[in-house]
Each structure stands twice: as C-alpha cells, then as structure tokens.
C-alpha cells in the first residue's frame, strides 16, 4: 500500500455511459480520492492497488452481450479474490452478484421512485440507518439468487436490495441520488404518462430528506475500508 498518505484511494468503475450526474454524485458522497474509469469505453484498472472498488449504476443489463460487460465482471471477481473491499450500487450491485456467482434476471417491469426498504439483518454498512428506510430506486433487473455465502441485508416487495459477502457489498437502491438526478433519470424511462407524473410528484423535499439517511452508507463503507487498510499496513518500528 502507498506510504505517506492517510487519504483513501478508490477505483470508481463508471458504467453510466457518460451520464453527467454519476461521477458528480460519487465525488460528492465518497470521502476518498477517486480514480475514474469509464468501463463502457473499455477503461479498467490494470492492477488492484486501491483501497476499495466502487461500481456505479448503468442503463445496461449484466446479461447483455456487450464486449465491455464480461471484462468488468471478471475484474470485480478478481478484486474480490485480492481482498479489495467493493461497493456496488444498482447495476454495480448486479455486477457484484454476477461476479460472485449469483443470478440477475429481468423483472419485466420498473421499480422506480422513492420506496420503502427493510433491513433484514444487522451490518456495519447500515449502521445508523433506520431498520425501515426510504431510498430512490430505478431498475428493471434484480438479483434473484444471492452469491454462495452471501447474506441478505435488505429487501422489499421487489426483492433483494442489499447483500454482503466478506468485504463486498451490493445495494440495489441509489443512496447517491439528489433530486436533480432522480428527476433526470425518471424522465428518461419508458413509462406511462400517469406513472411518470406519479414518480415525478414523489420527488419532494420531504422524500429526499428521508432518503438522505441512506447516505450514511458511504461513511460506513469508507470507515470500514480505513479499518481494513490499517490491518494490512505493517506496524511501525
């Protein structure tokens, strides 16, 4: 690990196809130096010398036949084997599940908007997050089979919303979203006019304030990564 710096260094694997909101949101929420890779343009780290790896959302599906998707999944699997802490968000959650041997499938519909999600077990990632919490969701795929050895951490009526295996976590919802992002993403979806207006009508200050409780996940992940780094650093003489 690098010497002489307490600043964490994360690889941000950006699968958003150049969406302007994605890097901005993660830069704001993660207290670390981010080395950004546009994985949809075949940019990937050549090594694993990072304190953590974070995988973003995407409008793609992990099971699509695209020449950048399989290498991304393989890199995430290798990072896990190297003991690098990983956080996957939405599509990143599905990439992580696939990389670790789980299953992702098309739901046949969208879950979108501010929704209620329930924790199913205690975990460091959810420290100080309410047992039942509000978060913005936007997905039509779901993890339908957890990776071997993974623990379910949160769910709702649409299925798995968080899991953990070892030093790797996936969350299906979007703790990084602000109202601007939620509005822009919603308007991009192929929804009926009635449902579109219902989702947009739910993007309120009250719902956003409630969803901000999930931003604690980023602080908890960063704190975990810092503790993990200390255990790997050689003791000073």
């Amino acid at each position: 690990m690098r010497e002489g710096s307490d600043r964490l260094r994360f690889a941000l694997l950006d699968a958003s196809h150049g969406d302007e909101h994605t890097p901005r949101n993660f830069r704001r929420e993660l207290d670390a130096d981010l080395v950004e890779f546009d994985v949809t343009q075949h940019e990937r780290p050549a090594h694993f010398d990072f304190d953590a790896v974070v995988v973003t959302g995407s409008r793609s599906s992990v099971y699509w036949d695209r020449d950048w998707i399989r290498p991304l999944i393989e890199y995430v699997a290798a990072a896990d084997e190297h003991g690098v802490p990983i956080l996957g968000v939405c599509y990143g959650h599905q990439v992580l599940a696939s990389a670790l041997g789980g299953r992702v499938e098309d739901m046949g519909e969208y879950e979108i908007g501010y929704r209620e999600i329930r924790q199913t077990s205690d975990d460091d990632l959810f420290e100080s997050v309410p047992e039942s919490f509000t978060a913005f969701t936007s997905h039509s795929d779901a993890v339908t089979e957890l990776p071997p050895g993974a623990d379910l951490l949160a769910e709702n009526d649409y299925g798995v919303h968080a899991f953990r295996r070892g030093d790797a976590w996936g969350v299906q919802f979007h703790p990084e979203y602000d109202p601007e992002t939620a509005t822009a993403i919603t308007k991009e979806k192929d929804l009926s006019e009635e449902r579109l207006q219902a989702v947009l009508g739910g993007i309120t200050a009250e719902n956003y304030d409630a969803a901000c409780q999930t931003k604690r996940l980023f602080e908890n992940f960063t704190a975990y990564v810092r503790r993990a780094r200390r255990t790997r650093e050689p003791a000073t003489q």
Side-chain angles (χ1 to χ4, degrees):
M1 195 58 62
R2 301 170 314 283
E3 298 180 358
S5 174
D6 289 332
R7 184 75 173 164
L8 295 175
R9 184 168 175 263
F10 291 179
L12 182 70
L13 307 186
D14 184 353
S16 70
H17 297 272
D19 172 65
E20 63 179 336
H21 302 282
T22 296
R24 182 197 71 218
N25 289 338
F26 282 98
R27 290 170 196 151
R28 181 186 63 236
E29 301 299 341
L30 288 167
D31 184 18
D33 291 332
L34 302 184
V35 184
E36 300 175 21
F37 300 87
D38 184 346
V39 294
T40 68
Q41 296 298 313
H42 307 282
E43 297 177 7
R44 290 181 303 279
H47 55 77
F48 304 96
D49 187 22
F50 298 99
D51 295 304
V53 169
V54 177
V55 190
T56 76
S58 178
R59 62 175 181 263
S60 298
S61 295
V62 296
Y63 47 78
W64 285 358
D65 183 17
R66 302 291 188 272
D67 58 5
W68 60 272
I69 293 177
R70 176 50 53 183
L72 169 61
I73 293 172
E74 291 173 350
Y75 179 85
V76 170
D80 180 70
E81 291 176 358
H82 279 76
V84 182
I86 303 168
L87 176 64
V89 177
C90 196
Y91 178 76
H93 156 89
Q94 297 162 13
V95 167
L96 179 62
S98 297
L100 300 184
R103 181 183 296 275
V104 175
E105 296 179 294
D106 183 358
M107 300 192 304
E109 60 178 319
Y110 277 115
E111 180 183 23
I112 186 166
Y114 286 108
R115 301 268 300 156
E116 290 300 308
I117 299 168
R118 302 173 302 278
Q119 292 188 53
T120 58
S121 59
D122 293 333
D123 188 79
D124 291 343
L125 191 70
F126 284 89
E127 182 180 351
S128 299
V129 176
E131 182 176 349
S132 179
F133 58 90
T134 299
F136 196 87
T137 65
S138 176
H139 66 112
S140 58
D141 293 332
V143 174
T144 57
E145 183 178 325
L146 290 174
D151 294 319
L152 177 67
L153 301 182
E155 64 181 358
N156 69 4
D157 50 327
Y158 279 86
V160 176
H161 263 279
F163 73 88
R164 176 184 184 176
R165 195 181 84 177
D167 295 329
W169 289 266
V171 296
Q172 180 62 72
F173 55 94
H174 284 279
E176 82 282 10
Y177 270 19
D178 53 24
E180 179 184 355
T181 306
T183 299
I185 292 298
T186 300
K187 289 180 176 179
E188 292 176 358
K189 302 302 183 186
D190 183 16
L191 304 173
S192 69
E193 184 63 23
E194 180 181 5
R195 191 172 186 198
L196 173 64
Q197 294 306 319
V199 175
L200 291 175
I203 303 175
T204 63
E206 181 181 6
N207 281 334
Y208 176 63
D209 287 346
C212 279
Q213 295 179 94
T214 65
K215 294 179 183 294
R216 184 60 190 249
L217 301 182
F218 294 115
E219 297 175 33
N220 293 339
F221 179 70
T222 301
Y224 180 91
V225 171
R226 192 172 295 281
R227 292 194 300 271
R229 187 172 78 168
R230 289 195 196 105
T231 66
R232 296 194 302 268
E233 291 175 342
T236 58
Q237 300 297 320

